[in-house]
Amino acid sequence: MGTALPVSPGAHGAIVVGIDLGPTVGGSAGRGSTAEQVQWRTRLLWWRCMEALYITNKGAAVAITQIDLDDDALAEAMRLSGARSKKETVNLALREYAARHRRIAALDHYAAAAQTWDYEGWQDMHAAGKAPAA
């Protein structure tokens, strides 16, 4: 069986884990392996890779997703934003989209709050405060 290697910090706060999977099938320890042993070693490899991915992305705001993008829109967005990569462009677009909706929600909140404001009453109170005391 393999053993987990030391954990070290990676880029953007991700945690990088090295995993020693032990001798590979077909290597010196894998000669004469039965089909069942190969199947179990494959499953072990898959589970350890999944574990490494979980540990690597734990606590980091990273999601790996495959999507189809409109090439023309992406090229224009890259040109306008000055982003150097597709990933950077998509992340920037997502951040701007979320920020735009936060601003819209804040505007709606303050517009609703402004409905109860009495501007004329405030002006009268302000003018009364400025008037000299008699």
Side-chain angles (χ1 to χ4, degrees):
M1 290 274 166
T3 57
L5 296 177
V7 176
S8 61
H12 308 293
I15 299 170
V16 178
V17 177
I19 296 178
D20 175 17
L21 296 173
T24 58
V25 174
S28 60
R31 290 194 186 132
S33 296
T34 65
E36 186 177 341
Q37 289 171 332
V38 171
Q39 183 180 23
W40 279 106
R41 186 165 290 284
T42 303
R43 287 181 184 168
L44 176 65
L45 173 64
W46 185 86
W47 277 108
R48 289 204 176 155
C49 288
M50 292 299 105
E51 178 185 31
L53 284 174
Y54 173 76
I55 292 171
T56 300
N57 292 324
K58 187 175 183 181
V62 176
I64 299 173
T65 305
Q66 182 177 349
I67 56 175
D68 293 326
L69 300 172
D70 180 352
D71 291 333
D72 296 333
L74 181 63
E76 184 177 8
M78 287 178 76
R79 181 180 57 80
L80 293 171
S81 69
R84 295 181 181 163
S85 68
K86 293 177 183 179
K87 178 181 176 180
E88 183 181 357
T89 305
V90 170
N91 286 331
L92 177 64
L94 291 172
R95 277 189 237 104
E96 286 186 7
Y97 181 81
R100 177 181 178 206
H101 282 272
R102 281 193 303 271
R103 287 190 303 270
I104 291 170
L107 182 62
D108 288 343
H109 170 75
Y110 290 117
Q115 297 298 317
T116 61
W117 293 347
D118 179 19
Y119 183 70
E120 289 81 17
W122 175 84
Q123 281 182 322
D124 293 340
M125 196 169 60
H126 182 68
K130 295 264 186 178

